[in-house]
Amino acid sequence: MIVENTQTQMRKGILEYCILSIIAKGETYASDIIAELKKAQLLVVEGTLYPLLTRLKNNGLLTYNWVESTSGPPRKYYILSEEGKTVLAQLDKTWEELLFAVQTAIGDRK
Amino acid sequence: MNKTIIININGIVFHIEEDAYEILKNYMTEVKRHFSNSADSLEITTDIENRIAEMFSELLEKENRQVIVEQDVNQVIEQMGSVADFENAESDEAHAPIYNYNTEGRRLFRDPDDHLVAGVCAGIANYFNINPVWMRLAFALFIPVGGSGLLLYIILWIVIPKAVSRADRMAMKGEKQNLQGFKKNFEEEMSSMRQNLSNFGDEARPFVYKARDFAGDFFHHLGIFFNGAGKVLIKMFGVCLLLAAFGAAIFLVVVYVGTIGFGAEFGDHILPFRMANSELVDKILTTGFLVAFIPVITIILVTIKGIFNVGSIGKSTGTVLLVLWLCSLGMLIFFATKVASGFREQASFTETVNLKPTKNNTYYLKLNDIKYFSHEDSVKLDIKNHFKNMVVTDEDYNGFHNEPRSVTLYIERSDVSTPVLEESFRASGGNYEAALYNARNTTYIFAQLDTVLRFDYTLRKRPNTVWHAEEVVLTLKLPVNAKVIIDQKLDNYVQGVNLYDCHDLNHTDNKATYTIFNMTNNGLQCKVDTIVPVKRDSVRTDTVVKQ
């Protein structure tokens, strides 16, 4: 249980960072994000992505454009806002630090 | 061959098989409920719906199909993830405080499946996992305490949401929610789906909407009550009615058979006095019996039919009963009119009896309660041998056993110095001659014995004659300053003065059986003796001397 909990916490911490990173590459559709995340084995089901996207959008990190789709309803294509870019830059820095910290901490063990 | 349903997901139309639809709908209900506590619930669920629509479109396009089947839905749900997956992902997010409600635990809902009124008690009982009976009992016990139980119930009714969806019901009973476990009747789900969507975001809904729902609920449950408990009440009422009707029927039969069986002697007493001869009494009794008995029988038959739905009252039976009843009613009216016609006219005549004035101007008024026997009766009772030197009195006579009271006595001031008794006889009859004849056919026995005036207790008429409202009004006219001593037994007969009130004024001891009045210019006045103690002393002395 504790193991699972820690795993979830770890994943969650980097999930938003990863999403922002993916969106930073350009206009992104939700299913593309899912595909990338699945490839990275961070997320299994799509349903969990939507609350995250909505929250990021409401926090002002993301905006979206409606794009007409040939199959189905119009799609929301997400892009980073200016604030989002700033936050992402901060997160990049944080990630570097974390990476260094973790590598230093486990370095001796491996 | 499968039934398909047309659904519309945010503007895109799909044909979906019924089974697939049920799974999808339950899934969406679940998802909506899951996100219902989030501020962005609408946006999130719309995103999910849009994505589902897109996935369906892609699937149909890829395989070139028209209809969405169960497999497609399962595939989409798998990709989107179940509510349990969402919960795992969010379980310890600090900023998502409410949406991780525990499906293992129970939620408080009103139970629509096991309810007497609105399911409040059953819901609370589900929450605490106890038998609803105890909750109901608790509420019932608090209803007499200033109606607090009732008030609390209504408040809870408004506050607690009703378990609408299957998921609600499972959450209510603490069952683990299983998306695949939903199998429900389609019509039922259609309505609950609609309600569910409108109930969406229940917690945040303003009170007004709740009140509106409550009103709707209230009438809905009122309807259910009248269908359920109301039916029971009506049945109970029917049984009571039936028992009462049976009682009445038995009573009527007993009275009728008893009366006819015991003959005219008893029949005479059905009417308070002999107004009609026994032949007519029997006829009235028979028709009256039918008039009362037929409706009672009808009530019994109709009640049995209405309440227990057994037995029947045919059209012909009904007609026969109705005709019989109308005939009886007609005859009863005819006989009643016949009896009443004997009272159409009234006649009276007055006789004046001169009384001898007494020496000391004192008159003792007494009641003659000696029973006078007819010749037949005296022979039957053998009065001569058995009651030699005895007087048979009629003390029990109260004027109602046989006839209404026929004697009234007024005491007035005489214009002349001699006392006079006026006897005014009255009677009714079919016409004036008959009435006068009836009045003439009575005698009143009055006797003066020195200072004692004896009044008979009743008007005498020939034996075995029918009552014709005969009465005698006596007016005793006494000279001024006469001392009138009236026996208490005359209380029922003397009009205009109250013997008992005066009796209390006259005497300090209540043993005296008479009352003393004085005749004044203004009529009869009670004698209030101011020197009573002196008188009593002298009386006492007298007694001592005598002893």
Side-chain angles (χ1 to χ4, degrees):
Chain A
M1 195 65 204
I2 294 168
V3 177
E4 275 174 28
N5 213 3
T6 315
Q7 281 170 345
T8 322
Q9 298 247 8
M10 282 174 146
R11 270 163 213 244
K12 231 171 248 165
I14 57 169
L15 189 57
E16 287 179 26
Y17 174 53
C18 290
I19 291 169
L20 288 174
S21 301
I22 294 163
I23 296 170
K25 293 170 194 167
E27 278 198 339
T28 326
Y29 181 51
S31 61
D32 301 333
I33 302 171
I34 286 288
E36 297 248 9
L37 291 176
K38 272 187 179 169
K39 202 166 72 189
Q41 292 183 349
L42 265 174
L43 207 63
V44 210
V45 290
E46 275 194 59
T48 44
L49 179 65
Y50 297 101
L52 282 174
L53 286 174
T54 309
R55 200 171 61 235
L56 290 171
K57 183 208 71 178
N58 287 345
N59 288 340
L61 306 182
L62 299 178
T63 54
Y64 60 83
N65 298 317
W66 286 107
V67 175
E68 284 297 326
S69 163
T70 47
S71 59
R75 296 169 157 196
K76 272 179 182 173
Y77 276 85
Y78 288 93
I79 45 169
L80 283 187
S81 64
E82 286 307 312
E83 199 188 339
K85 282 170 187 166
T86 324
V87 170
L88 185 60
Q90 284 171 357
L91 288 177
D92 278 334
K93 202 178 159 212
T94 313
W95 180 246
E96 298 272 321
E97 287 164 11
L98 276 175
L99 204 61
F100 172 75
V102 172
Q103 273 168 353
T104 313
I106 65 174
D108 299 341
R109 214 167 41 132
K110 282 187 179 173
Chain B
M1 194 172 72
N2 276 318
K3 190 175 169 185
T4 62
I5 297 155
I6 296 170
I7 56 167
N8 172 358
I9 305 176
N10 292 326
I12 313 290
V13 173
F14 294 101
H15 291 266
I16 183 168
E17 281 191 357
E18 199 177 329
D19 297 346
Y21 168 76
E22 277 183 39
I23 296 167
L24 178 66
K25 185 182 59 57
N26 283 317
Y27 176 71
M28 281 318 296
T29 309
E30 277 300 288
V31 169
K32 278 175 181 171
R33 183 159 288 284
H34 175 77
F35 289 117
S36 65
N37 293 313
S38 160
D40 310 312
S41 65
L42 190 64
E43 191 170 358
I44 295 167
T45 49
T46 311
D47 283 348
I48 291 172
E49 278 185 350
N50 280 338
R51 180 65 186 141
I52 287 170
E54 195 178 54
M55 284 195 259
F56 282 152
S57 299
E58 283 166 3
L59 279 170
L60 294 179
E61 210 173 309
K62 197 170 78 189
E63 296 175 27
N64 205 13
R65 280 188 288 133
Q66 300 291 318
V67 178
I68 295 158
V69 294
E70 200 177 323
Q71 201 193 341
D72 300 332
V73 174
N74 286 334
Q75 195 185 326
V76 164
I77 288 171
E78 202 184 322
Q79 204 173 336
M80 195 59 81
S82 68
V83 171
D85 292 331
F86 299 171
E87 274 158 13
N88 285 338
E90 293 156 5
S91 56
D92 29 33
E93 278 187 23
H95 46 254
I98 321 169
Y99 38 109
N100 56 339
Y101 67 79
N102 188 3
T103 45
E104 301 286 341
R106 289 155 186 269
R107 296 194 72 198
L108 188 55
F109 283 106
R110 282 188 286 120
D111 192 344
D113 300 323
D114 177 24
H115 67 94
L116 276 187
V117 182
V120 170
C121 291
I124 295 170
N126 277 323
Y127 190 77
F128 293 112
N129 198 17
I130 53 172
N131 194 324
V133 170
W134 301 117
M135 280 318 298
R136 286 176 190 142
L137 200 66
F139 272 94
L141 283 176
F142 275 97
I143 285 175
V145 187
S148 59
L150 196 70
L151 194 69
L152 186 67
Y153 191 94
I154 290 170
I155 291 169
L156 289 174
W157 187 345
I158 295 170
V159 169
I160 301 174
K162 185 177 168 186
V164 178
S165 70
R166 179 75 174 252
D168 288 347
R169 285 162 210 207
M170 291 175 101
M172 178 179 72
K173 298 198 172 171
E175 289 164 19
K176 181 107 179 139
Q177 291 177 30
N178 177 8
L179 287 180
Q180 309 305 316
F182 299 124
K183 282 283 172 199
K184 283 199 84 185
N185 186 356
F186 172 62
E187 283 84 3
E188 202 183 292
E189 283 291 18
M190 273 305 272
S191 64
S192 82
M193 176 71 176
R194 242 178 282 124
Q195 274 181 316
N196 198 18
L197 286 175
S198 68
N199 273 7
F200 183 47
D202 233 353
E203 271 80 2
R205 215 150 39 134
F207 180 78
V208 184
Y209 292 115
K210 290 224 169 196
R212 185 199 62 192
D213 276 13
F214 171 73
D217 252 25
F218 180 77
F219 287 110
H220 174 71
H221 287 288
L222 198 69
I224 289 170
F225 174 77
F226 278 117
N227 272 333
K231 262 183 190 162
V232 175
L233 280 181
I234 288 169
K235 272 212 169 157
M236 277 167 67
F237 175 71
V239 170
C240 291
L241 190 71
L242 209 58
L243 287 175
F246 270 120
I250 290 166
F251 171 77
L252 284 172
V253 170
V254 166
V255 166
Y256 177 67
V257 172
T259 309
I260 297 299
F262 282 106
E265 193 71 30
F266 183 64
D268 284 351
H269 294 275
I270 290 299
L271 293 174
F273 34 85
R274 286 194 69 187
M275 283 171 71
N277 61 44
S278 49
E279 209 176 303
L280 203 56
V281 165
D282 282 354
K283 282 176 190 166
I284 289 173
L285 209 66
T286 306
T287 51
F289 169 75
L290 286 174
V291 165
F293 192 68
I294 289 170
V296 169
I297 287 294
T298 314
I299 287 170
I300 290 173
L301 290 175
V302 168
T303 313
I304 289 175
K305 173 78 179 157
I307 303 295
F308 304 108
N309 209 18
V310 288
S312 65
I313 176 162
K315 220 172 193 177
S316 52
T317 322
T319 315
V320 168
L321 283 177
L322 184 67
V323 168
L324 203 60
W325 185 74
L326 285 174
C327 287
S328 309
L329 187 67
M331 278 163 77
L332 183 65
I333 290 168
F334 172 74
F335 290 132
T337 318
K338 207 171 163 186
V339 171
S341 72
F343 295 85
R344 211 182 297 148
E345 296 283 339
Q346 219 180 25
S348 68
F349 65 91
T350 306
E351 219 174 342
T352 307
V353 180
N354 287 315
L355 303 179
K356 282 176 243 158
T358 54
K359 282 174 216 162
N360 50 5
N361 212 6
T362 302
Y363 299 90
Y364 290 91
L365 273 57
K366 292 201 169 164
L367 181 72
N368 179 20
D369 52 5
I370 294 164
K371 190 167 176 68
Y372 290 86
F373 289 105
S374 65
H375 182 65
E376 288 167 27
D377 284 342
S378 63
V379 170
K380 201 157 57 182
L381 291 167
D382 202 1
I383 297 288
K384 255 186 189 169
N385 296 322
H386 286 95
F387 297 92
K388 215 170 189 178
N389 298 327
M390 288 183 223
V391 173
V392 180
T393 55
D394 198 4
E395 282 178 1
D396 285 339
Y397 178 78
N398 62 13
F400 290 100
H401 278 318
N402 298 314
E403 287 167 16
R405 198 179 62 217
S406 54
V407 180
T408 44
L409 173 63
Y410 291 91
I411 302 167
E412 287 175 8
R413 183 175 60 83
S414 175
D415 294 331
V416 289
S417 58
T418 51
V420 169
L421 179 70
E422 281 178 14
E423 298 173 344
S424 180
F425 295 92
R426 281 180 199 160
S428 298
N431 50 46
Y432 186 74
E433 285 78 20
L436 200 60
Y437 177 78
N438 288 332
R440 195 71 195 88
N441 248 337
T442 57
T443 46
Y444 185 70
I445 300 165
F446 166 78
Q448 183 183 23
L449 257 166
D450 210 8
T451 56
V452 179
L453 309 178
R454 276 192 184 278
F455 293 92
D456 200 8
Y457 68 96
T458 187
L459 191 63
R460 311 278 169 176
K461 59 180 172 37
R462 283 188 188 167
N464 296 326
T465 51
V466 170
W467 182 76
H468 281 106
E470 293 94 343
E471 61 168 340
V472 62
V473 178
L474 304 170
T475 312
L476 180 65
K477 294 190 171 177
L478 297 175
V480 182
N481 295 327
K483 190 179 178 187
V484 189
I485 298 161
I486 306 174
D487 198 306
Q488 287 300 118
K489 283 182 182 173
L490 276 167
D491 184 57
N492 277 332
Y493 306 90
V494 180
Q495 305 292 308
V497 287
N498 191 321
L499 291 193
Y500 280 95
D501 284 357
C502 188
H503 179 263
D504 292 342
L505 288 170
N506 276 169
H507 310 279
T508 42
D509 58 332
N510 287 325
K511 284 170 192 165
T513 58
Y514 54 87
T515 308
I516 306 160
F517 287 91
N518 281 328
M519 181 55 72
T520 66
N521 279 322
N522 296 324
L524 214 53
Q525 293 286 327
C526 185
K527 184 188 175 226
V528 184
D529 229 333
T530 44
I531 46 163
V532 166
V534 180
K535 242 187 158 182
R536 281 176 69 191
D537 281 346
S538 68
V539 168
R540 207 171 280 166
T541 322
D542 280 356
T543 0
V544 171
V545 170
K546 266 180 189 171
Q547 277 175 343

